[in-house]
């Protein structure tokens, strides 16, 4: 039998490694930015074209590389960060495995220019698919400029799996923000298709957060500080009233490295327990500093997951630190055991001496005396005893009256109906004004959740929330497709604050939103101005609808087409549908039932749940006869 095991060629091994390290353009951005930081750069520029498909270029003013180092940097497992296995437990740098540049070069065209300080000329290297095409001397600035072009040019299947430009750009912005937030001492700039997206000068942590997420963020931040032997915690949490349904603004950094850690996220959520609105998530920017020997960051190719030596202790300290900040800055309600100020001694009595009160009494007073006693006391009232003679006359004729009247003339005294202590919940209609109750109702509401309607064979039990979701879903689909939406104009436009990432998502679906009835504009950076909203949606709920939409689109914005329209219609129907627990009047119930059975698919909600069930008379009979 011949041998069948053989060594893979280097270029094949590099492409396999690239599958783990380079998943999308954002992965390249992350690796190149971290290399620039490790090179001790003070200014880093990121240039992107076509969301990274055409070009990703990072320019820094760091240490640069010699000709030999530049050539070796593209070899697998070639690194200047570690020299032995023990160094993995004392890492202070971002990259250390030496796979990033080799993996990137295996799936793209790479152009590297670098010059160390003290050298007159630099080195330029061009690589295509792990093959070095040229290496020559060049004139360039101190530092390194590396351009990655035509990503996945030699792996068409991987290139076809990339999402739309807006989705890929959003992932790139995510990686850029994570790196920029952790290194406020470095100037960062980002350009997309020659347009500037970010310009973040060197500053402190608070101002860096404000620079990334907009000026309105400053008033939302609450500082968190705690220093212990196990961990040093610093950063900011967002006030509960500004919490969103999206989880985009949740940042953990361990030793200036962004991580994802559900266990620590739970500790922060536990500290916010009882303070957040319904379904809202806590937002935070927390920086943890621990001894590198107590963590393991080499458990995932993207290095976004870490293991702590004592996770439980860090969990407890983090929750206590966040709770302390919430209480310290009067965010959380506290019990005040201080004395009541109304019981303090008035200021005018401060220097007065204490005097015993004087009490005057009439010792000769007798309430049973018919004549007032002869005393000098004038404050005692004169009690006059009424005569009790003739009390029998009160019952004259009573016996005769009872015999003649009988039970037919007995009157029962009824107390007048007292007003209710609580205001009844107003019946909700689907229009701007409550609908008038009809005199004869063919539908009934059970527990403000189900609508019961009789039919020939028995009865229908309809879930009011799911039914309304189906009705709204089909209406939005029709309005977006036919562009026949009705918009109600606002007298005073709404101004809502969103992050750069959220505005990118809204820009992607702007046309579809306008077809549903929204009229919006971008008067300034980070602000969305809404002058028109869909008919039937209250002005107070506009921000809730958009936040729910952003939450649904958080992971992925669908490509242009039906998938995008479908997701938008589902999200808005979920936000605007009548909720379980809301009382509906008769006409609203009738209207909902009629609308439901006019739909093309009345049996299922947009989320594939039953909208109604039927109970036949036979089924009811069996239940009674069981």
């Amino acid at each position: 039998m011949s041998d069948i095991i053989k060594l893979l060629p280097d270029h094949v091994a590099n492409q396999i490694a690239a599958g783990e390290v380079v998943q999308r353009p954002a992965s390249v951005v992350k690796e190149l930015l971290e290399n620039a930081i490790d090179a001790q750069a003070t200014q880093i520029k990121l240039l992107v074209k076509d969301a990274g498909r055409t070009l990703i270029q990072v320019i820094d003013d760091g240490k640069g590389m010699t000709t030999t180092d530049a050539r070796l940097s593209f070899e697998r497992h070639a690194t200047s960060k570690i020299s032995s296995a023990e160094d993995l437990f004392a890492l202070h740098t971002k990259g250390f495995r030496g796979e990033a540049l080799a993996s990137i070069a295996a799936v793209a065209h790479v152009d590297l220019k670098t010059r160390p300080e003290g050298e007159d000329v630099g080195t330029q290297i061009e690589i295509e698919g792990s093959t070095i095409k040229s290496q020559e001397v060049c004139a360039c600035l101190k530092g390194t400029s590396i351009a990655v072009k035509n990503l996945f040019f030699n792996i068409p299947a991987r290139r076809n799996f990339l999402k739309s430009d807006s989705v890929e750009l959003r992932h790139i912005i995510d990686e850029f923000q994570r790196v920029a937030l952790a290194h406020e001492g470095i100037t960062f700039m980002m350009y997309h298709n020659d347009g500037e997206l970010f310009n973040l000068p060197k500053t402190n942590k608070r101002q860096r957060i404000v620079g990334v997420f907009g000026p309105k963020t400053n008033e939302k931040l609450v500082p968190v500080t705690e220093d212990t032997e196990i961990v040093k915690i610093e950063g900011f949490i967002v006030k509960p009233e500004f919490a969103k349904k999206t989880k985009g603004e949740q940042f953990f950094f361990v030793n200036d490295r962004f991580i994802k850690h559900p266990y620590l996220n739970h500790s922060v959520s536990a500290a916010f327990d009882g303070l957040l609105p319904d379904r809202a998530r806590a937002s935070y920017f927390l920086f943890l500093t621990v001894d590198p020997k107590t963590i393991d960051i080499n458990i995932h190719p993207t290095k976004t997951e870490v293991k702590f030596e004592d996770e439980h202790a860090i969990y407890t300290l983090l929750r206590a630190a966040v709770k302390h900040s919430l209480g310290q800055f009067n965010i959380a309600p506290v019990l005040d055991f201080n004395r009541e100020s109304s019981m303090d001694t008035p200021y005018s009595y401060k220097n007065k001496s204490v005097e015993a009160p004087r009490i005057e009494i009439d010792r000769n007073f007798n309430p049973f005396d018919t004549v007032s006693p002869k005393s000098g006391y004038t404050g005692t009232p004169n009690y006059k005893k009424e005569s009790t003679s003739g009390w029998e006359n009160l019952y004259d004729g009573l016996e005769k009256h009872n015999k003649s009247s009988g039970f037919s003339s007995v009157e029962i005294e009824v107390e007048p109906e007292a007003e209710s202590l609580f205001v009844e919940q107003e019946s909700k209609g689907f229009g701007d004004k409550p609908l008038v109750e009809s005199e004869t109702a063919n539908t009934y509401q059970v527990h403000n959740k189900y609508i019961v309607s009789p039919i020939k064979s028995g009865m229908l039990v309809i879930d009011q929330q799911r039914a309304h979701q189906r009705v709204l879903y089909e209406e939005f689909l029709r309005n977006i497709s036919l562009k026949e939406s009705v918009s109600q104009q606002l007298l005073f436009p709404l101004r809502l604050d969103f992050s750069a990432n959220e505005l990118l998502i809204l820009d992607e679906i702007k046309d579809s939103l306008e077809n549903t009835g929204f009229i919006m504009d971008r008067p300034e950076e980070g602000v969305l101005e809404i002058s028109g909203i869909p008919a039937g949606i209250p002005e107070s709920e506009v921000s809730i609808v958009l936040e729910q939409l952003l939450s649904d689109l958080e992971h992925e914005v669908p490509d242009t087409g039906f998938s995008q329209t479908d997701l938008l219609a589902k999200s808005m129907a979920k936000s605007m549908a009548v909720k379980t627990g809301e009382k509906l009047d008769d006409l609203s119930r009738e209207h909902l039932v009629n609308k439901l059975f006019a739909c093309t698919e009345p049996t299922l909600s947009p989320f594939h749940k039953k909208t109604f069930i039927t109970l036949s008379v036979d089924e009811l009979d069996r239940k009674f006869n069981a």
Side-chain angles (χ1 to χ4, degrees), residues 2 16 30 71 114 126 195 273 281 312 330 339 348 377 425 431 442 447 491 518 522 546 564:
S2 60
I16 294 173
K30 175 181 182 294
R71 182 68 177 262
T114 182
E126 294 183 1
D273 190 27
R281 299 173 179 176
H312 182 69
N330 296 325
R339 63 187 177 188
S348 58
Y377 183 74
Q425 183 179 359
N442 293 324
H447 294 299
L491 182 61
F518 281 102
R522 294 267 298 276
L546 292 180
Q564 184 188 98

Side-chain angles (χ1 to χ4, degrees), residues 352-401:
K352 284 190 174 182
S353 59
V354 178
E355 296 180 0
R358 291 179 295 177
I359 302 175
E360 294 182 359
I361 61 174
D362 182 5
R363 297 185 182 278
N364 298 321
F365 171 70
N366 185 350
F368 298 100
D369 288 346
T370 57
V371 182
S372 178
K374 298 179 180 179
S375 65
Y377 183 74
T378 59
T380 304
N382 182 14
Y383 288 94
K384 184 178 179 182
K385 192 172 182 178
E386 297 291 343
S387 175
T388 58
S389 60
W391 59 269
E392 300 89 349
N393 297 332
L394 294 173
Y395 298 93
D396 287 347
L398 181 62
E399 183 176 357
K400 181 180 178 181
H401 177 74

Side-chain angles (χ1 to χ4, degrees), residues 191-208:
Y191 301 86
H192 180 245
N193 292 341
D194 299 326
E196 184 181 272
L197 295 183
F198 292 95
N199 190 342
L200 308 173
K202 177 181 177 181
T203 183
N204 55 38
K205 280 185 169 59
R206 188 183 192 109
Q207 291 304 315
R208 176 54 56 89

Side-chain angles (χ1 to χ4, degrees), residues 277-298:
D278 186 31
R279 295 193 297 275
R281 299 173 179 176
S283 299
Y284 50 81
F285 308 87
L286 296 173
F287 301 81
L288 280 62
T289 304
V290 299
D291 187 347
K293 296 179 181 179
T294 63
I295 60 172
D296 183 5
I297 59 176
N298 195 27

Side-chain angles (χ1 to χ4, degrees), residues 281-465:
R281 299 173 179 176
S283 299
Y284 50 81
F285 308 87
L286 296 173
F287 301 81
L288 280 62
T289 304
V290 299
D291 187 347
K293 296 179 181 179
T294 63
I295 60 172
D296 183 5
I297 59 176
N298 195 27
I299 62 174
H300 194 273
T302 60
K303 302 186 287 291
T304 56
E305 297 179 11
V306 300
K307 280 187 177 180
F308 293 92
E309 191 176 84
D310 192 352
E311 284 189 343
H312 182 69
I314 294 177
Y315 177 99
T316 306
L317 290 170
L318 183 60
R319 183 178 61 179
V322 174
K323 274 196 170 184
H324 177 70
S325 291
L326 289 171
Q328 182 180 7
F329 293 93
N330 296 325
I331 305 300
V334 295
L335 292 175
D336 188 3
F337 293 102
N338 293 333
R339 63 187 177 188
E340 177 63 35
S341 59
S342 62
M343 301 185 70
D344 292 342
T345 303
Y347 183 78
S348 58
Y349 287 82
K350 184 177 180 180
N351 298 320
K352 284 190 174 182
S353 59
V354 178
E355 296 180 0
R358 291 179 295 177
I359 302 175
E360 294 182 359
I361 61 174
D362 182 5
R363 297 185 182 278
N364 298 321
F365 171 70
N366 185 350
F368 298 100
D369 288 346
T370 57
V371 182
S372 178
K374 298 179 180 179
S375 65
Y377 183 74
T378 59
T380 304
N382 182 14
Y383 288 94
K384 184 178 179 182
K385 192 172 182 178
E386 297 291 343
S387 175
T388 58
S389 60
W391 59 269
E392 300 89 349
N393 297 332
L394 294 173
Y395 298 93
D396 287 347
L398 181 62
E399 183 176 357
K400 181 180 178 181
H401 177 74
N402 286 341
K403 289 181 179 179
S404 61
S405 61
F407 287 105
S408 60
S409 61
V410 172
E411 295 182 1
I412 301 175
E413 185 176 347
V414 180
E415 293 185 1
E417 184 177 355
E419 294 185 4
S420 174
L421 293 177
F422 303 96
V423 179
E424 292 289 337
Q425 183 179 359
E426 187 181 57
S427 295
K428 181 170 180 177
F430 291 136
D432 294 334
K433 298 180 181 179
L435 296 172
V436 180
E437 295 281 350
S438 63
E439 295 181 356
T440 58
N442 293 324
T443 59
Y444 307 92
Q445 194 174 19
V446 180
H447 294 299
N448 292 342
K449 182 177 183 180
Y450 298 109
I451 298 174
V452 178
S453 178
I455 55 177
K456 289 182 179 180
S457 60
M459 65 179 180
L460 283 175
V461 182
I462 302 171
D463 187 306
Q464 65 184 36
Q465 183 174 3

Side-chain angles (χ1 to χ4, degrees), residues 3 106 119 133 136 145 157 219 243 247 267 288 318 326 347 355 416 439 460 491 495 522 530 541 546 561 567 603:
D3 299 333
E119 297 289 337
K133 295 297 183 180
E136 56 189 16
S145 170
E219 64 187 48
K247 60 180 180 180
S267 72
L288 280 62
L318 183 60
L326 289 171
Y347 183 78
E355 296 180 0
E439 295 181 356
L460 283 175
L491 182 61
R495 293 173 64 88
R522 294 267 298 276
I530 299 176
E541 295 185 10
L546 292 180
L567 197 151
T603 58

